[in-house]
Amino acid sequence: MQELFKKIISTEVKPVFAKHGYSKKNLNFYKADGNLAYKFNIQRAKYNTSRQVQFYVNCGVHSTELAELHSVGLNGDILEFTSHFTCRIREIAPAAPAHYTLTPDIDPDALSKELVSHLEEGMSFLHSLTGAKDIVHYYMDKTALHLSEVTFRFLLKAGDTEEAKHYLQQLHAKYGAEKRWTILEKKYAAVFAEYGM
């Protein structure tokens, strides 16, 4: 099954990414486009055997614009290689399984065809994120905590004060009753203070 896995990556997965301008390094596929870098990672499960190979498809987008808004790291460096948008492929290609499994009784052609279809759908979604604003709004629409500090900096830097306040209200409504809210509130207050608010 290990050999079948390698064959699917080299003959099916690599060509579909190459067609869309992605470069390959190990089991990672990258494409830079302006201020964004798109990434797909094929992650093998830990406990694969000669008769079964499971793998996941992780998706990410890095924004240089959002990277500049991160808190500065302990050594003074900006965190440059964070994936600002990150998910498993199932989140953006709903027909995809939680993971893919190769066993002696599967039809490798059918699995390859499905995998390629899911990758194409995933790429289509990632490529619809064309800038930092798209990433920020994706998580704001979900009232997600992921990227929340960066989102406040992005909005306040752009002068979208009312939108930043509205997002804070959304977060408070969803997470305000949780114990961690006190910590989050302090972090958000510090971000607002950075912009004189």
Side-chain angles (χ1 to χ4, degrees):
M1 289 301 102
Q2 299 287 352
E3 290 306 312
L4 178 58
F5 172 78
K6 290 176 185 174
K7 182 182 177 185
I8 288 172
I9 297 299
S10 63
T11 63
E12 303 292 340
V13 173
K14 185 179 177 183
V16 78
F17 279 117
K19 182 176 79 173
H20 292 279
Y22 282 73
S23 301
K24 179 181 182 293
K25 183 176 181 183
N26 300 320
L27 292 175
N28 298 300
F29 299 86
Y30 299 91
K31 178 182 178 179
D33 187 1
N35 287 326
L36 297 181
Y38 303 100
K39 176 185 173 184
F40 285 82
N41 161 258
I42 311 296
Q43 177 191 352
R44 281 189 266 211
K46 285 184 180 179
Y47 304 108
N48 287 327
T49 66
S50 59
R51 293 185 56 79
Q52 177 176 295
V53 172
Q54 286 187 345
F55 62 94
Y56 306 86
V57 179
N58 303 309
C59 315
V61 183
H62 170 81
S63 162
T64 54
E65 188 178 354
L66 294 179
E68 292 170 1
L69 298 174
H70 276 280
S71 295
V72 175
L74 294 175
N75 59 0
D77 295 331
I78 290 174
L79 306 173
E80 293 182 26
F81 302 108
T82 306
S83 283
H84 298 99
F85 176 89
T86 181
C87 70
R88 286 264 166 91
I89 196 162
R90 190 178 195 177
E91 293 176 48
I92 56 176
H99 55 75
Y100 298 86
T101 304
L102 303 176
T103 59
D105 57 352
I106 62 116
D107 177 348
D109 293 335
L111 185 140
S112 296
K113 187 176 178 182
E114 284 183 14
L115 175 59
V116 166
S117 172
H118 302 152
L119 292 174
E120 292 273 10
E121 188 177 352
M123 273 186 272
S124 178
F125 179 89
L126 285 198
H127 297 166
S128 75
L129 303 173
T130 59
K133 190 172 185 178
D134 293 334
I135 297 171
V136 161
H137 280 280
Y138 176 85
Y139 287 112
M140 285 178 67
D141 289 344
K142 293 181 175 292
T143 316
L145 288 173
H146 178 67
L147 234 76
S148 53
E149 289 176 71
V150 170
T151 295
F152 284 123
R153 287 191 180 94
F154 179 83
L155 295 172
L156 294 169
K157 183 181 177 185
D160 294 333
T161 308
E162 290 308 311
E163 192 169 11
K165 288 178 179 176
H166 178 67
Y167 179 48
L168 182 60
Q169 290 169 353
Q170 283 179 276
L171 291 175
H172 182 266
K174 188 170 181 179
Y175 304 103
E178 297 181 12
K179 287 183 180 179
R180 60 181 168 170
W181 181 253
T182 305
I183 297 166
L184 292 170
E185 198 169 33
K186 286 178 184 175
K187 288 182 179 180
Y188 300 151
V191 173
F192 275 79
E194 286 175 33
Y195 293 86
M197 296 186 62

